Amino acid sequence: MKRRFITAILAGVMTASLLAGCGNAKTDGSSNEAKGTGELSGTITFAIWDNNLNEFIEQNDMIGKFQEQYPDIDVEVEKIKDDSEYWNAMKMRASANQLPDVMFNKPFTLSRFKDYLVDLSGTEAAANNELAQGYAVDGRVLGLPMTSGYEYVYYWKDMFAEAGVEVPTTWSELEDAAKKLQDYYGKDNKDFMAIACGLKDEWPDYPYMEFMPALESGNGQNWNDMAKTDEPFAEGTDIYRAYHKVNDLFTSGVLGKDPLGLGNDQVTSIFATKGAAMIALGDWGLQNIQNGAEDISQLGTFYLPTRDSESDPYNVIVQGDSFMGVTTHSKNQEAAIAFVEWFYSDAWYPEYINFVSSASSMSNFPKEKDPILAEADKLCPDMVLVMYDGGGDDFSAIQNVTTFDYKKLGAEMLTEGFDLDAALEELNASWTNARATLGIQ
Amino acid sequence: MTKLSKKRKQFIVVSLVIPMLLLIGFVVVPGLDLIRMSFTNWDGYSQDSQFIGFRNYITMFQNKDLWQSLRNNAIYFVVHLFMIPLELAFAVLLTGKLRAAKFYKTMVFMPYIINGVAIAYAFSYFFSPVNGAFDAILTGLHLENWIRSWLSDPKIVNYVLAFVSIWRFSGYHVILFMAALQSIPADIAEAARVDGANTWHLFKYIQVPSIMLMVDFVLFDNIRGALQVFDIPFVMTSGGPGYASSTFTLYTIKTAFTFSNFGLASTMAVAIMVLIVVIYLIQNKLIHGVILREGKK
């Protein structure tokens, strides 16, 4: 009898745990029990993908420091492998009402998650953030950029000097410099790349394929404007001109003998050991290059010159990166907002921003650029900053229907028999159909 | 009813009910939900979706990139299919009295137990155009003319990836065949030898018919594996260049997560299930009905 009773209890516990696992976890034990004194309490989850941030959080006891100010709020940091995996996880969790309390976004994911993010307009952190307002969706600040992201072309000054090449300031100069470098070093080293670009991974062409349409005429809203026309890939448009430039550069042989066979890690290592003369990456790339290089005294940077002539404006992309936001699924929204405020306060942010190579996004905590990155500013005093927008709802909807994948398109340019004009024509046709199907005007 | 038989009955009921509940909860219900989703335009994160009838199915059939991905799957299928007789031969060889058979068995099975992503990474460096080991081997053998863009030439990339797949999975098939071969009672073979059967006769009339169930399983596993191949092309080429080395599963995942079209991706998942069953039935009919002529005795 006793045994049967124990068996029944065990079976009951198992069934309950099974059902609890399947159910919609509404009782997560982290309810925000606001105390009579008005103090905040509860547990908040903070989901990240950035290895540098994770390392810094662990080394500097972020939770301990936060709890000095908010002793009753516990923070659970959830590290997800990389950003691709992060978006996959967040999409699934959004549909299951299981988003973390605090999450990050990129410019191109803000509009996707807009219904799940709380307006942070009223926070002090938003007021001090230089970029947040520029990325507001329908007037709501849904995320606070943790860093300002700039894109650079890293190059070896000694290699340029030996080959007699000057830092280019226009697109044609870039093409000429790349050809000259390829001819000069390529004759002795068949593996040499004037411009390193690991197209096996596809995404490393983003400085060209993602940003160049916006740089072409300095329109950071380029993707959103594309959603308003039926034939955005037609001759004469920004994207048409930009992709023709990229196509000409990529197919001129300056990416080396087999760029489609190499990934970004491989080409970054090759560049770090001077097997390549240039590589276009964000500010985050500096740490990777430094890790692979023995000596960086000859490492320099300049901004990707996409303009046709020196009389045109020298457009340079700037974008907010890692937008920290509070989700509507949070049971402890006040605690989560308090965490965001704390994160961007004197207690945490200045140390963090000095740890990473990226620029500060906070006006109250300016940061001097790394000397290597600052060289690009010195070389380009007349630059015009273009605030990049990753594309809103309409663009995303059309992109999904047409399966327009600009990063893949860039890699396809290197394949045999690829016809850019035919590809753009096909995109125009599917774009028109998609707009009609989706009823986008 | 005695106490023991009552307990036995209880045990049987519990043993059946729990797996059935798990099967219903984790296979049947999600499977039915997958079919339901295949008729919607759910984007993967919105709270609602619309029923759109067969539009996803029509879109799927009109998608040329998906068809190309399916053709790539066919390469894995055919290459693995041709390897099955070889795997069987290896299994027979290793089951026999071969010197250091245990060592060979371990070596053959080893690739299967290594993490697939690690294998794919290792081979992407092996076939790398810069400092790649394979090109170095060819150069060492003075076969520089044979060097190709192994991972970026659309004409050969799928064969390179299929080779990696063979390297990884052949050992698994060999071990399965060996397990089946070892289950054949030794006295049957001895009796056949007394009757004058040679090794070929033993193989053809005793070993192969005795392990037909396992052959069926390996053939089914080949179809399932070839149509669901993911990790090797994902890590080694990301399905590129373009969609030259994409596979059905890779394209399905891209549709779901890159293009936020879970409805269409669900349609593709339903299609792949149907495809696996259909190809298996055709293959079964061909092998048993035509090649082995089982029904015409």
Side-chain angles (χ1 to χ4, degrees), chain A residues 319-369:
Chain A
Q319 62 167 336
D321 207 355
S322 302
F323 291 70
M324 191 189 277
V326 173
T327 69
T328 54
H329 293 169
S330 170
K331 308 281 187 303
N332 302 307
Q333 280 182 14
E334 280 183 51
I337 292 171
F339 174 74
V340 173
E341 289 277 33
W342 174 85
F343 192 97
Y344 286 93
S345 74
D346 192 30
W348 179 257
Y349 187 79
E351 261 186 271
Y352 169 70
I353 201 66
N354 286 323
F355 172 73
V356 292
S357 53
S358 304
S360 169
S361 60
M362 302 296 286
S363 56
N364 50 340
F365 303 119
K367 175 193 169 184
E368 270 197 29
K369 271 192 182 182

Side-chain angles (χ1 to χ4, degrees), chain B residues 204-252:
Chain B
K204 189 177 174 188
Y205 297 111
I206 293 176
Q207 289 176 316
V208 171
S210 303
I211 63 162
M212 232 21 237
L213 206 63
M214 188 58 83
V215 174
D216 271 352
F217 173 75
V218 169
L219 288 169
F220 175 74
D221 192 54
N222 180 33
I223 299 168
R224 186 202 57 75
L227 285 175
Q228 294 184 338
V229 63
F230 169 72
D231 51 358
I232 292 170
F234 179 72
V235 175
M236 289 185 69
T237 62
S238 308
Y243 290 99
S245 64
S246 178
T247 60
F248 203 97
T249 310
L250 211 60
Y251 196 85
T252 304

Side-chain angles (χ1 to χ4, degrees), chain B residues 175-186:
Chain B
I175 294 293
L176 287 177
F177 283 138
M178 280 172 62
L181 286 167
Q182 280 165 359
S183 69
I184 302 171

Side-chain angles (χ1 to χ4, degrees), chain A residues 247-270:
Chain A
N247 190 41
D248 291 345
L249 180 75
F250 279 13
T251 53
S252 65
V254 298
L255 301 190
K257 65 175 185 183
D258 189 10
L260 290 171
L262 295 165
N264 185 61
D265 290 348
Q266 287 167 294
V267 298
T268 306
S269 309
I270 291 168

Side-chain angles (χ1 to χ4, degrees), chain B residues 85-154:
Chain B
L86 211 64
E87 288 158 0
L88 189 55
F90 251 98
V92 171
L93 202 68
L94 289 172
T95 315
K97 283 173 184 152
L98 188 73
R99 190 183 288 227
K102 272 189 181 169
F103 169 74
Y104 291 127
K105 281 177 202 169
T106 312
M107 292 306 289
V108 160
F109 194 55
M110 191 72 87
Y112 183 68
I113 56 173
I114 302 174
N115 180 294
V117 174
I119 288 172
Y121 262 115
F123 271 102
S124 31
Y125 280 92
F126 183 71
F127 287 113
S128 170
V130 177
N131 303 327
F134 190 55
D135 285 355
I137 292 169
L138 290 177
T139 309
L141 296 171
H142 301 290
L143 296 170
E144 290 92 342
N145 292 339
W146 289 22
I147 292 175
R148 295 283 177 277
S149 300
W150 304 111
L151 299 177
S152 57
D153 184 345

Side-chain angles (χ1 to χ4, degrees), chain A residues 112 125 175 266:
Chain A
R112 282 183 201 168
E175 285 180 314
Q266 287 167 294

Side-chain angles (χ1 to χ4, degrees), chain A residues 91 116 257-258 400 405 408, chain B residues 45 129 152 242 254 257 259:
Chain A
K91 277 181 193 173
Y116 300 100
K257 65 175 185 183
D258 189 10
N400 291 338
D405 183 346
K408 191 173 270 298
Chain B
Y45 48 90
S152 57
K254 196 170 176 68
F257 291 107
F259 299 121

Side-chain angles (χ1 to χ4, degrees), chain A residues 148-202:
Chain A
S148 295
Y150 291 85
E151 296 296 320
Y152 299 91
V153 179
Y154 297 88
Y155 74 107
W156 291 111
K157 289 184 255 185
D158 52 344
M159 291 180 82
F160 269 46
E162 190 184 324
V165 172
E166 295 284 320
V167 172
T169 59
T170 64
W171 184 258
S172 57
E173 282 178 20
L174 176 76
E175 285 180 314
D176 292 342
K179 275 179 203 155
K180 211 168 172 181
L181 286 159
Q182 190 67 39
D183 292 342
Y184 185 83
Y185 292 103
K187 64 179 186 289
D188 296 326
N189 176 8
K190 60 182 173 43
D191 294 334
F192 180 77
M193 296 171 275
I195 300 176
C197 192
L199 289 173
K200 183 157 77 74
D201 292 340
E202 292 179 354

